[in-house]
Amino acid sequence: MNKDIYKKAANAVINLIYSNDEELTDENIDKSINLVLKYPGLNDKIKKDELQNYLEDTKNAFAFKPRARLLLQLGDQLIRSESVALLELVKNSYDADANKVEILMENGDDPEKGIIIVEDDGFGMDLNTVINVWMEPGSDFKTEKFKNNELTPRFKRLPIGEKGIGRFGAHKLGNEVELITKKSGCKEVYVKIDWKAFETARYLEDIPVKITEREPVLFAENETGTRLTITKLRTAWTRGMARKVKRAIGALTSPFESKDDFIADFEVLDKPGWFDGIVNWDQISDYSLFHFKAEIQDDKIEKLEYSFTPWSNMNELSGRSHCFLSLKNDNIEAFSITEAEKTFFYNKFLVDQSKDENPISLTGKKIGKVKFEGYIFDLDSKLLSMGNFEKTSFKNYLKENGGVRVFRDGLRIYDYGEPGTDWLGLDIRRVNVPARRLSNNILVAAVYLDRETSSGLEEKTNREGFIENESYEVLRDSIVHTLSLIEMYRMPDKNRLREIYGPTPKSEPVLSLLKDMQAYVNDKVKEIPVKKKLNIYLEKIENDYKHITETLLKSAGAGLSLSVVIHEVEKIIQSVQSILKQEKASEKLLELVEHLSGLIDGYADILRTSTRSNESVISLLNQTLFNVEFRLLSHNITIRKEYESKDDRKLKLARSLLLGSLMNIIDNSIYWLEKSGKLDKLLYLDIQENEEFVSIIIADNGTGFTLPTDRITEPFMSGKSGGMGLGLHIVKEIMLAHKGSLSFPEKGELDIPQEFSNGAIVSLNFKK
C-alpha cells in the first residue's frame, strides 16, 4: 500500500464530509469514498476496501485545520503598526543579502488608489523557495541557516529573522500583494495574493494561490532581487504616519556607525513636503557635550572611553578625555588621570561593584561581547541659548530619539529606545537623584550585539524586544552599571558647566532661585499691593528654608550613620551565634555581649543632641574606632594609631557631630579598601599641628580618590555604586560650622608613612 496516496485520499474524504457540514458516520464515509474514487488518477491506484480500513484506523486522529482568517489575525496581532510592518519587510531584504532596499509610496492618503512598493537588490527566490519557504508561515528556513552558521554570500550575514512571519507585514499595509522575485540563473517568479479572500474562505487550503514562473520582465537577465507591490491600502496615510515611518527607517541602523553595505530609504513620491524639517543625527551630534564608549565582556568592563567637549563658544572651559583599559595592568592608557584612578579602574573595573552576593556577569549567558556608545546633551535653557540651532527641532529630536537603542549585527531591535520604553529604568533613577543621573531625553546611545554570540537573547514573536530571561536581565543590569560610571565621571564636568554658564550657583540653588523670583516680581508685577504680598511670602519661604537647612545639618551626621549601626549590630550578632555554636556560652560570649552594650551606647551618643564643649581629641578618636571596631575586623583592616604617641589636645566641638563625621570618613575608607582588592588593608589616624590648625588626619592605602578632590564635597558627588554623594558634603558643612575646614592633602604635603601616600588622605582642620 502506498500510504501517501491513501493518506491524501482519506483527507479528501474527511474534508468532503466536513465541507458539507455532515457527521463522520459510516454512511457518509462510504458516500464520500465513492465520490473521491471518481477523481481522475485515483480509481486505478486505490482499492475501496483498503481505503475503508485506512479510514477506520485513522478517522479518530485528526490534524489541526487552520482557518483562512488565521493569517489575517496573525498579521494584525503580531505586526502592530505600519512602521513595524515595513521594518519587517526591510529585515527580509537584509536577510536576502541586499545592499539597498527602497520603499516608495504614492497616493497613500487614498486607500483605493494608494500603492506601496518595497524593492531590494538581494539574492531573490526561485520557484522552490517561494513555494516551500515563503508560502509556509512559521518556516524554520532561516533558523536552520543560523544554527548551521550559513553566511550570505556577498555580505557574510547571519539571518536576523527567525519566526517566519515577517511577510505578514505586507497584509498589515494592504489587501492586495504582488510579489516578483528573481534568483541568479533562474526565471522570475510571480505571485499575487488577495487577502480579502481569507476573510470569507473557510480553510487555508480552500484559497489557492497562483504562482507563476516566467521569463524576466521586471529584472534584467543578470539582476536579482525582490519587489513587493502593495495596493488596496488598509488605512489612509497621514503626514504624521509617514514621518514616523521615515524616522523608523532612518533609525534601523545606528547613527554612530556608517553601514554602507545596507541602505534603506523611504520616499513619498507625490508628497515631497511631508518630510520637511525632519532633523537627522548629523545635524545634532555636534551639540552633545559628553561622549562615551565601553566594551563589556564576561565580568569586566574591558574598555571605557569618556570625553567632555565644550562648544567652541564656551571659552572659559576646556575639555578632557580618558581611556581606561582593564585587560592588563601594563596596558592601561590614561590621559589627565591620577595613579590612584588607574589603580581603581584596573583592580575593580567589574561590571558590578554593589551586588556582592549576586555579581553581574555575562559569562555563560550567551551574550558575547557588548559594545556600548552614547552621547549626552544638556537641556538647560541658558546653555541652549548659546547654541546656534533651532531649539524646538533640537528638543523634538531628543524626545523622539533619546534613550538607549539595541542593535544586533547592525540592525535595530525594537522597542528599545522608543519614546515611552524605558527598559533601563533611567527616568525612575533620575527622579531619586536628579542632579547626577542621566535620563532618556538627554541621552542618545546604542548597545551593539553580535548575532552569532548573543543567542541567549531571544526576540519576542510580537517584535517588542527580547524575552525577559536571565540573559536579558544581565545585559540590562550591566548597561545600567556602566552608565553609573559614566555619571560619576560626568558630574564634575557638569558642575563646571553650571558654575560658569548655568542659571544658578552650585552652592545655594534654592536661595538663588528665590532671589530670581523676587527680582521677577519687582520687575514685572505692577500692582503694588500684590507685589508687596508676594515679596512677604518669598521672604518667609527664604527664612523657613534657612531654618530647615540648619536643623537638618544638626541631625545629618546621625542620619548617615544609622545604616552603619544596623550593619555593626548584625555583625556582632553573627559573632555571637558563631561563639555559641563553637564554645557553648563561654566567657568570650559574655565579653562580646558587654562589648555590644558598649558599642550601642557609643552609637546612642551620636544620636543625642550635642552642644559644643571642650573635648579630648584622643578620646574622640578612640570612641570613633571603638564604634567601628567590628566593621574593621570583619574587613581585615589593620589600624595604625599614630595619634597615641602625640600630646592630647582639647578642642571646643560638638562631639556627636564629629563622631558621625569621623565614622563617615572611615566608612568610605572601608568601602574603597575593599574595592582595591589589596590583601594588606591599612588605616592610619594621627593628630598634627601647625601655627594655625590642629588637624585630625585619616589615611588609607586604598585606591585614592576617583573624583577630583575640589569637587568631591559637592552634593550628590559619589564614586560609590549606588552612593548618594552626601557624606563628605555634610562633613564639610559640619567643619565650616566649627569655623574649620575639610581638606584632602596631596602626596608629600603631610608627614605620613610612604605606604599611605597613594591612598585617600583626609584632614579635619580646627582653628587653634
Side-chain angles (χ1 to χ4, degrees), residues 612-667:
R612 294 188 193 182
S613 58
N614 286 323
E615 297 286 342
S616 161
V617 178
I618 289 180
S619 172
L620 181 68
L621 291 174
N622 285 337
Q623 182 66 56
T624 301
L625 291 176
F626 180 79
N627 289 353
V628 297
E629 178 182 357
F630 279 96
R631 186 119 193 264
L632 293 168
L633 286 172
S634 68
H635 289 279
N636 297 314
I637 296 173
T638 301
I639 310 166
R640 295 197 185 176
K641 303 178 183 178
E642 185 69 21
Y643 65 88
E644 290 183 334
S645 64
K646 304 291 179 70
D647 293 335
D648 194 9
R649 292 297 305 258
K650 286 194 174 182
L651 299 173
K652 191 170 185 178
L653 49 82
R655 181 183 176 89
S656 62
L657 291 180
L658 264 300
L659 272 173
S661 297
L662 291 168
M663 289 172 62
N664 187 281
I665 294 168
I666 292 175
D667 182 66

Side-chain angles (χ1 to χ4, degrees), residues 29 53 181 254 332 361 455 503 609 768:
I29 289 174
N53 292 334
T181 183
S254 170
I332 295 179
S361 175
S455 60
T609 302
K768 288 185 174 180

Side-chain angles (χ1 to χ4, degrees), residues 476-499:
R476 179 194 60 205
D477 292 347
S478 66
I479 295 300
V480 171
H481 175 71
T482 306
L483 280 175
S484 70
L485 291 177
I486 301 300
E487 289 166 339
M488 180 186 77
Y489 239 77
R490 164 181 167 264
M491 196 64 191
D493 294 320
K494 178 185 174 184
N495 287 340
R496 288 166 63 204
L497 271 171
R498 288 293 185 272
E499 287 175 20

Side-chain angles (χ1 to χ4, degrees), residues 317 320 488 490-500 506 707-718 725 728-729 732 744:
L317 280 175
R320 66 179 184 130
M488 180 186 77
R490 164 181 167 264
M491 196 64 191
D493 294 320
K494 178 185 174 184
N495 287 340
R496 288 166 63 204
L497 271 171
R498 288 293 185 272
E499 287 175 20
I500 299 172
K506 63 171 183 177
L707 295 173
T709 54
D710 61 337
R711 307 281 173 177
I712 204 168
T713 59
E714 294 174 13
F716 307 113
M717 285 288 290
S718 175
L728 289 178
H729 172 69
K732 183 191 77 170
F744 307 95

Side-chain angles (χ1 to χ4, degrees), residues 59 70 133 183 494 513 529 551:
K59 71 178 182 179
L70 176 64
V133 177
K183 187 177 179 180
K494 178 185 174 184
L513 180 61
T551 303

